[in-house]
Amino acid sequence: MNEFAAMTPILTLTLAACGVMLAEAPCGAMVAINRRAVEILGPVPLSGSVDEYSRDFRGSRPDGRPLAPEEWPMARGVLRGERVVDQEIHVRTAGGGERILMCSSAPVRDAAGAVVGGVLAFHDVTVQRRREEADRFLGRVSDLLASSLDYRTTAQSIASLCAGALADYCIVHVEEHGRVHALGVAHADPPRKEIVGGLVRRFPVDPEGHHPVMRTLRTGDVQLLAEVDEAVLGDMAQGPEHLEMLR
């Protein structure tokens, strides 16, 4: 332990450009964390053992499967002496947000070759991954727009693509002959598609109203609503019953 403890400030300072965590072996208790790790993840508890990793750090693979305690890169180092290079992990931060981390880890050995600890280094690649996802999404939208001359079919295809990828549900409105029609309706939960479709058929957008869709159609500007409050619901609703359903 003395040799490992002596390495702690050296490793932490040397790798200051990325998040760094150090743990003892074989228990996996965290003994040090650098400032950059806190900047990325927020306040981080010093887990007392490998078994506590999944409690203190909620993480998953890119496909959404959660990581078991012994599958975390640090655990693989302190438990089995494995090296991990560039493993992508999606982690929930202390504030409830998500960060995508590119992680590498390695065991720390004493002079006799025994594993006395582990070191984990990680970079925040969230912005890069989100940009890549956006580029892929725009490419798929471009392909859809070029795949058919029937704009009604295209509207439904775009709605289906957006539902689940960008939002829980998506409605594509088109203005024709002074009326606004919902030509594409989709929901990430397929059984709810009919509920959303029934709602827009019963309460179509009023061309003379203040619905955000109409502001976009009139101005050509994007309407990004960070919060749908009572004022926005009031603009969308066509009466008390509709307002209650929107809530």
Side-chain angles (χ1 to χ4, degrees):
M1 176 60 194
N2 289 337
E3 294 180 32
F4 181 61
M7 296 175 64
T8 297
I10 299 174
L11 288 169
T12 304
L13 291 174
T14 301
L15 300 175
C18 60
V20 179
M21 296 180 180
L22 301 174
E24 297 178 358
C27 64
M30 296 287 183
V31 297
I33 178 172
N34 76 340
R35 180 179 298 177
R36 180 57 182 151
V38 176
E39 291 173 351
I40 295 172
L41 298 175
V44 177
L46 292 177
S47 304
S49 68
V50 167
D51 290 338
E52 295 179 5
Y53 287 2
S54 290
R55 181 200 68 186
D56 296 337
F57 306 96
R58 291 172 292 170
S60 62
R61 299 174 179 82
D63 63 8
R65 290 179 296 146
L67 287 173
E70 67 277 4
E71 294 175 326
W72 286 85
M74 180 74 86
R76 292 168 61 183
V78 298
L79 293 178
R80 300 189 293 275
E82 296 179 6
R83 295 177 62 89
V84 177
V85 178
D86 290 344
Q87 179 180 359
E88 183 176 311
I89 298 178
H90 295 226
V91 178
R92 285 287 176 185
T93 66
E98 183 184 76
R99 290 288 183 271
I100 302 175
L101 308 181
M102 190 63 69
C103 304
S104 296
S105 65
V108 177
R109 301 180 185 274
D110 63 14
V115 176
V116 295
V119 56
L120 169 71
F122 57 89
H123 293 276
D124 184 355
V125 297
T126 307
V127 173
Q128 176 185 340
R129 289 291 182 266
R130 295 290 184 251
R131 187 180 297 118
E132 292 169 355
E133 291 173 4
D135 288 343
R136 286 194 295 270
F137 178 80
L138 291 174
R140 295 176 66 185
V141 170
S142 179
D143 291 341
L144 284 175
L145 293 173
S147 66
S148 174
L149 296 178
D150 182 353
Y151 67 92
R152 294 175 179 271
T153 299
T154 301
Q156 181 56 53
S157 296
I158 290 177
S160 299
L161 179 62
C162 293
L166 297 181
D168 290 336
Y169 68 91
C170 178
I171 304 171
V172 179
H173 293 90
V174 176
E175 187 174 22
E176 295 178 307
H177 311 299
R179 299 186 62 184
V180 179
H181 304 278
L183 296 187
V185 178
H187 198 290
D189 182 9
R192 297 191 177 186
K193 175 184 175 181
E194 290 305 315
I195 297 176
V196 176
L199 189 64
V200 296
R201 286 191 296 271
R202 183 175 178 186
F203 300 103
V205 172
D206 181 4
E208 303 301 323
H210 301 286
H211 196 292
V213 167
M214 289 312 306
R215 290 201 292 271
T216 294
L217 290 173
R218 289 169 185 150
T219 66
D221 295 333
V222 174
Q223 302 292 318
L224 178 60
L225 306 177
E227 180 181 358
V228 180
D229 55 20
E230 284 296 310
V232 175
L233 292 177
D235 287 342
M236 298 171 65
Q238 298 182 27
E241 182 185 7
H242 190 199
L243 179 60
E244 188 62 32
M245 295 176 74
L246 290 173
R247 288 173 175 156

